[in-house]
Amino acid sequence: MEKTEKPESSRKSVKPGKTTTETQTTKTVAAKTSRTKTAKVKVPDEPIPPISPVLREEVVATAAYFLAEKRGFVPGFELQDWLEAEGTLQKLPSSRGRNG
């Protein structure tokens, strides 16, 4: 059997994590063509119906849980987490003017 040599590729081998000029060009072109558009949201004229007290409490409890988790569940801040969660809920546009 004769041994045949494979022709050398004109591309250089690239280590993992490295990019070639070809790849960089592709990324640049893709970056220039992709644009994000900000959609305008129309606020409804009619009032938003209030949420039930039970649902509101569930939302506040969930938000307070995530605040506690963010702190690493350090004890002694339960009331602070609850009040901060309630305040955040009241700042949302859809919860203004509610007596929940």
Side-chain angles (χ1 to χ4, degrees), residues 48-67:
I48 301 170
I51 60 173
S52 71
V54 174
L55 179 59
R56 185 178 189 283
E57 186 174 343
E58 287 178 13
V59 170
V60 171
T62 302
Y65 173 86
F66 286 117
L67 289 170

Side-chain angles (χ1 to χ4, degrees), residues 4-35:
T4 58
E5 289 185 29
K6 294 180 182 177
E8 284 189 31
S9 174
S10 61
R11 286 177 85 174
K12 295 180 181 178
S13 63
V14 179
K15 293 181 182 179
K18 301 285 183 180
T19 55
T20 64
T21 307
E22 183 179 315
T23 305
Q24 290 171 349
T25 304
T26 305
K27 288 179 182 177
T28 304
V29 171
K32 288 180 181 176
T33 58
S34 65
R35 304 213 186 246

Side-chain angles (χ1 to χ4, degrees), residues 28-87:
T28 304
V29 171
K32 288 180 181 176
T33 58
S34 65
R35 304 213 186 246
T36 55
K37 293 182 179 181
T38 306
K40 293 182 180 180
V41 178
K42 184 180 178 192
V43 178
D45 295 330
E46 67 273 355
I48 301 170
I51 60 173
S52 71
V54 174
L55 179 59
R56 185 178 189 283
E57 186 174 343
E58 287 178 13
V59 170
V60 171
T62 302
Y65 173 86
F66 286 117
L67 289 170
E69 181 183 45
K70 191 175 179 181
R71 270 189 300 91
F73 296 107
V74 176
F77 293 92
E78 295 83 5
L79 180 60
Q80 180 182 338
D81 292 337
W82 188 270
L83 295 175
E84 186 176 339
E86 281 186 332

